Amino acid sequence: MYKDGKFGLYEVLPPGAPRSFKVICRMKWGGRSMILRHFTHTYTLNRTWVQYLDGFDHWPVATWIGLDTLYWLSRSKTSDLTIEFQKKHLPPEFLRIVYEKFKIGNSSTNYQLLSAQLNYARSTVNVTDCLFGLIGSAFSSYDMDNNRVPGLGCPLTYGGAWWYNGACAQCNPTGNLYHNPGGNRTWVNDEVFWEPFDWTPIRVSMWLNN
């Protein structure tokens, strides 16, 4: 399943958790717990609430850790969230956004985003602080829209699941990986984007540093 030898499937028991969870980890650089991996435009992350709750794994093209697992991992200690985009470029170019003190709520809050502090110095690219405006927002999918402003339909519009507020969001890492020949954005609502990028990545990865 993990043929490159860099990743492995580990069983972890966060402090206070009622059960153990299986997590894809890369044990290099202090350890990384994979949250999201999206590696092909032919595979959509527009999944149901139950699938985002439980997680799904179609390694290596796509994986999502599961909201309950993510809650317990972020609850157990202060964690850094890294979001990495691979730009359509030769040689490959990887751009990283680092958030410190990432934490989400439990199921009673619909996994509300509680804390995420962008560290510009540790990030490799200057981006909009998308998560700042989403603090306090619940997670939403197309069949479970928890936006505090009803009727916007952000998950349906953006073609994925994420934390959305009254203006949806300035980022969409779970959208579709549409690929223009030059890598530029198509400017459709359901593509992967993160402002102010004017291009669409060919791969998205997210992880917690252990």
Side-chain angles (χ1 to χ4, degrees), residues 31-42:
R32 298 174 176 177
S33 298
M34 297 299 300
I35 298 174
L36 168 73
R37 181 180 172 100
H38 193 193
F39 198 28
T40 174
H41 67 282
T42 61

Side-chain angles (χ1 to χ4, degrees), residues 16-78:
R19 61 181 179 87
S20 61
F21 300 93
K22 290 183 178 180
V23 179
I24 299 172
C25 295
R26 185 173 186 179
M27 302 310 294
K28 197 174 181 181
W29 301 302
R32 298 174 176 177
S33 298
M34 297 299 300
I35 298 174
L36 168 73
R37 181 180 172 100
H38 193 193
F39 198 28
T40 174
H41 67 282
T42 61
Y43 193 91
T44 180
L45 299 184
N46 195 18
R47 301 303 190 90
T48 66
W49 176 261
V50 171
Q51 287 174 302
Y52 270 96
L53 175 64
D54 295 339
F56 48 87
D57 184 13
H58 298 273
W59 192 269
V61 297
T63 189
W64 171 259
I65 194 172
L67 287 167
D68 210 42
T69 306
L70 183 58
Y71 160 68
W72 285 106
L73 288 178
S74 74
R75 176 185 182 273
S76 64
K77 63 178 181 178
T78 299

Side-chain angles (χ1 to χ4, degrees), residues 83-87 93-97 124-125 197 199:
I83 305 162
E84 181 182 77
F85 300 100
Q86 182 179 350
K87 193 173 182 181
E93 183 177 1
F94 297 90
L95 304 175
R96 291 181 179 176
I97 308 167
T124 61
V125 62
F197 294 159
W199 46 268

